[in-house]
Amino acid sequence: MDLERRYTAARKKALQRYFGGLNEMQRQAVFQMEGPLLILAGAGSGKTTVLISRMENMIRFGNAYHDESPPAGAGGAELELLEAYAGGKELPVDRLCALAAARPVKPWNILAITFTNKAAGELRQRLAVKLGEEVTADIQASTFHSLCVRILRREIEALGYNRSFTIYDADDSLRVIKEAMKAARIDEKILTAKAVRGAISRAKDQLDTPQGMQSRAGDDYKTACVAKVWQAYQRSLKEASALDFDDLILKVVELFTQFPEALAHYQGRYRYIMVDEYQDTNHAQYRLISLLAGKHHNLCVVGDDDQSIYKFRGATIENILSFEEQFPQTVTIRLEQNYRSTGNILSAANQLIANNLQRKGKNLWTNSGEGEPIRVYRVRDELEESRLIADAILEGVKNGARFSDHAVLYRMNAQSNSVEKALAKNAIPYRIIGGLRFYERKEIKDVVAYLSVLVNPGDSLRLSRIINEPKRGIGGSTVTAAQGIADVEGLSLFEVISKAGEYPLLAKKSAVLGDFGGMMDALRQMAEEEPLDRLLDKLLEDTGYLRALELQGFEGQGRIENIMELKSNILRYVQENETPTLAGFLEEIALYTDLDNYDAEADAAVLMTVHSAKGLEFPHVFLVGMDEGVFPGRTAMLYPAEIEEERRLCYVALTRAKERLTVTSTERRLIFGQTTFNRPSRFLGELPREHTDYQDKTVMARKQAREPAKPARSKFTPSSMSIGVGAAAGQPKGPVQSIKAGDSVRHSVFGQGQVLSVKPMGGDTLVEIQFDKKFGVKKVMANFARLTKL
């Protein structure tokens, strides 16, 4: 064998050894560097590891695995070293790179797109461990929106916007839309502002325009109204130098389409592009990626068509299903080995999703064993369902698990109510993901509005929010008058307020308006000179906002604590960025998602919708409400494509579980103020019986009802403030003992504790108990407690 052939063979073996921790299909994905690549990554198949390893391979070794020429100057000595490493001897990484590399990629030529800031941060951290922070700092790893903000901060002036543009959240957008509807005299009883906002968002996802929508409206009154409002809405945004979330991608596509030189610059910068969660992309995102990859065609997308569940956000499964047609010469690699779930869970998930027609097809498998069968329970109602969950969590913790090992997943947020009550009655700590987010709280939005106006004084929407917050005698009529002057004069609202004394219409309020403008100007100057945490302290003091909260007493204290948490976020941002700026911080928080605040270390059970759970995993998952009309939802039941999306959603739920999966269905359910009687979900019928343990507790209950047992007597006496103990799930079990404040008791999970107080409450009794340092003070309801008097 000649030198070239031996060198090629040795290099392949060396790289296989270097990436020996990956399975065969993962290594194929890592080594495939040039041209379009579709990685169909099943749930739990290690896709993040593949992405990181692929970037490491590109930077260290380039296209070495497929290159058939030795490096320049390589001879017999280099071949021997390479063959020795391939055979098992150690070699420094730098030396191996020198022997094996072929056209390695510069870090700044790599663009990696994820769907959450948290995922982008994890990518950078794990890469830094392998390559060092200096190398990783040059890689652009971000979300679609973060990438677009970065581009627009540099290029948006070409589109007629200021570089210091503000990013409006959904609430800000809604306020502007309501004003536009009011001006157009559109009745919200006929067309709601939220419906208009949703229609505009969907249209932007499709790269539509107000003019295009108007031309297609014809006799459709509602569509014509949306188009009219959209035109006014965009004018208002541009006047305030603001963009909404959808505009971030839309404007970059617009920039690249109108200015080829800008596109050429970024095509030259990002020669290798990787996109995670490609099944969740919409048309605008597809168009953006197509433009960026249009020159070099080195586009790698990673996704799972079986986990496409965000159609309601504009995601289109067609992007991943038709990738091979859209990008000719695509190499397709399937990652099917699962490292998360047991065999029983995977077999059930495989059989469920096989009922879908819109899919490319794959079959997950694992080497980790079959594990427990899936527990499927049919119970009477949501109260029994919730008690079952609470009992199982307590049992799991008793056997050594953490509360955070347990996740309760549901189709709709409304289903969490009864579960929350059951957990609270059992003193089980829990968190809800996807509820009111931190940055949606009033006090946080107020402070962020102040900071936003410091960066962009032209942001009249945020200015209107805080000009009289706290109260300083500037009413709505004054703001309206000032805005009218601004419109006539072609000035910003802030400019008019700052020189209110020049306008007779504002004469009565000129002093207070001038004071406000002067205060904001002083803070703007400070923003350029002082650290961000000091700026926040000064802002809270000078605006009177902190004092106003202090006067609110207990409620105000909670709001102050939230603002202090905002300060913590500012300090973290400062620590993590070499050149922190107020604009940079505002940009970062504008792009937060629900999962960016998820803390896996906090020991509390997690409650969330299945949509929110995507990307997460837990040892024990409870999938609740598997009732026809709930999951799948009633509105989806008549449409095959909608049922397929619901089935994909169920598939995502099943594959969140690592060790134990519990699925529940109810005979009847009180939800949205009505009791419904339900058949089990069709998806339950699609789970293989050989992998499930099915128990119909409604049958057991009916049998017990035909043979009623004599009820046990409770020794609860309200007058003595004592309670009955020994009860479980609301039913007394065996002899009941009297218990009162000062007694020592034992709980089956929390251990020994001392009763601090007992208090009758709603037909039950609240017991406050001091346990050891691990659990602290717990409040449990008597009818749910597992207490033994010592």
Side-chain angles (χ1 to χ4, degrees), residues 6 87 89 93 118 122 135 233 345 400 472 569 626 640 750:
R6 282 181 61 191
K89 290 189 177 181
V93 174
K118 194 180 189 75
E122 180 188 353
V135 174
Y233 170 66
I345 293 171
R472 49 176 64 96
N569 290 349
M626 290 299 291
F750 304 135

Side-chain angles (χ1 to χ4, degrees), residues 450-465:
Y450 269 111
L451 296 172
S452 297
V453 173
L454 297 184
V455 173
N456 178 15
D459 187 350
S460 57
L461 180 73
R462 302 274 173 85
L463 177 59
S464 298
R465 181 185 182 96

Side-chain angles (χ1 to χ4, degrees), residues 206-218:
Q206 294 300 315
L207 301 178
D208 200 356
T209 64
Q211 295 75 19
M213 180 181 284
Q214 186 70 57
S215 66
R216 294 191 307 275

Side-chain angles (χ1 to χ4, degrees), residues 3 110 128 148 174 260 336 442 466 473 500 555 602 618 658 755:
L3 175 67
I110 297 175
C148 289
L174 199 61
E336 297 174 305
K442 179 188 180 301
I466 48 90
E555 180 182 349
F618 303 89
K658 297 169 68 175
V755 177

